[in-house]
């Protein structure tokens, strides 16, 4: 003979079974989700990006990131020096804005010092054109931050007169998050300094 008490016991056992099944299922779903997120994160870390001519961001699988790091560092320095020193009256503001994305406060300090010295005012007043002819960089890739020294050949056009200068700069590179399109290489210039500037003789420019 069944009693109400026995029915209640069966219901309680059934409820416990259902609750336990739900908890186990939820736990399994959570573990699978975490595993999938971890796998996606690892895949993202192993992926690099390039920017096409149309401005589209395209993923590229890295075969050996360390091999490509020096190439990216050289490209980063070349892009920075082209923007920072290849200026004229009509483009220097937009170029400075782009260049400042590639360096930290030390780059901004050099820019502000040049501005305080009246360099950009002279650029506007006399319609000067400063062109970057050549950029040669040496980077110590043994340890981060990566120390570099860059030799930049600059030609300044003052109308009928053209002078050529050699500028030596130095600093360090650190890795940061990639920022498209402002900082696609994921590197930042620190401790930036203009070491030496000298006017080149005519025979030196011919050899170049």
């Amino acid at each position: 003979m069944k009693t109400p008490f026995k029915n209640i016991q069966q219901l309680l056992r059934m409820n416990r079974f259902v609750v336990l099944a739900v908890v186990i299922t939820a736990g399994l779903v959570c573990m699978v989700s975490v595993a999938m997120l971890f796998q996606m994160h690892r895949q993202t870390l192993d992926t690099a990006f390039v920017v096409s001519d149309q401005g589209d961001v395209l993923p590229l699988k890295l075969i050996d990131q360390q091999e490509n790091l020096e190439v990216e560092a050289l490209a980063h320095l070349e892009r920075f020096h082209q923007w920072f020193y290849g200026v004229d009256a009509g483009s220097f503001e937009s170029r400075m804005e782009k260049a400042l994305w590639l360096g930290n406060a030390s780059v901004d300090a050099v820019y502000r010092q040049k501005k305080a010295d009246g360099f950009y005012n002279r650029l506007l007043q006399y319609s000067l054109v400063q062109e970057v002819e050549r950029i040669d960089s040496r980077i110590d890739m043994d340890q981060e931050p990566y120390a570099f020294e860059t030799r930049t050949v600059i030609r300044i056009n003052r109308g009928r007169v053209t002078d050529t200068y050699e500028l030596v700069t130095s600093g360090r590179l650190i890795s940061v998050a990639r920022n498209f399109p402002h900082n696609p290489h994921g590197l930042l210039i620190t401790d930036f300094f203009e070491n030496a500037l000298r006017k080149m003789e005519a025979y030196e420019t011919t050899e170049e």
Side-chain angles (χ1 to χ4, degrees), residues 6-170:
K6 287 185 178 180
N7 290 335
I8 292 174
Q9 282 185 324
Q10 290 176 351
L11 288 174
L12 289 176
R13 279 197 292 267
M14 179 64 70
N15 287 340
R16 282 198 298 269
F17 175 77
V18 171
V19 170
L20 185 61
V22 169
V23 171
I24 292 174
T25 303
L28 290 174
V29 170
C30 289
M31 287 189 290
V32 171
S33 300
V34 170
M36 291 178 65
L37 285 173
F38 179 75
Q39 185 178 5
M40 291 174 61
H41 178 66
R42 290 293 301 272
Q43 289 176 348
T44 302
L45 290 178
D46 291 336
T47 302
F49 301 89
V50 294
V51 181
S52 69
D53 295 337
Q54 290 75 32
D56 299 324
V57 179
L58 305 173
L60 268 183
K61 197 74 176 177
L62 282 178
I63 299 174
D64 188 345
Q65 189 173 6
Q66 188 60 34
E67 264 184 25
N68 295 333
L69 182 58
E70 185 172 2
V71 176
E72 291 205 69
L74 290 170
H76 185 87
L77 291 174
E78 182 167 357
R79 175 177 294 205
F80 168 76
H81 285 82
Q82 283 283 0
W83 281 343
F84 199 75
Y85 294 106
V87 295
D88 56 50
S91 68
F92 82 91
E93 289 183 338
S94 62
R95 284 178 168 265
M96 287 304 109
E97 183 179 353
K98 293 177 180 178
L100 291 175
W101 277 96
L102 306 183
N104 71 350
S106 63
V107 172
D108 184 62
V110 173
Y111 166 64
R112 291 180 181 277
Q113 183 60 51
K114 293 168 80 70
K115 193 173 183 179
D117 292 341
F119 172 78
Y120 299 108
N121 287 337
R122 293 192 296 273
L123 196 72
L124 294 170
Q125 184 177 356
Y126 299 108
S127 299
L128 302 179
V129 177
Q130 182 169 287
E131 299 176 335
V132 174
E133 281 203 339
R134 184 173 176 179
I135 300 171
D136 294 315
S137 296
R138 293 183 300 173
I139 311 173
D140 182 2
M141 301 299 298
D142 291 338
Q143 183 177 357
E144 188 175 355
Y146 311 110
F148 71 85
E149 182 178 270
T150 300
R151 173 180 175 267
T152 306
V153 177
I154 301 169
R155 185 183 295 271
I156 300 179
N157 189 329
R158 298 184 175 90
R160 295 183 178 180
V161 180
T162 300
D163 295 322
T164 304
Y165 294 86
E166 180 189 66
L167 173 68
V168 178
T169 56
S170 63

Side-chain angles (χ1 to χ4, degrees), residues 180-197:
F180 298 98
H182 303 298
N183 189 341
H185 297 296
L187 295 167
L188 195 71
I189 296 171
T190 67
D191 302 324
F192 183 66
F193 190 73
E194 294 182 341
N195 298 284
L197 176 67

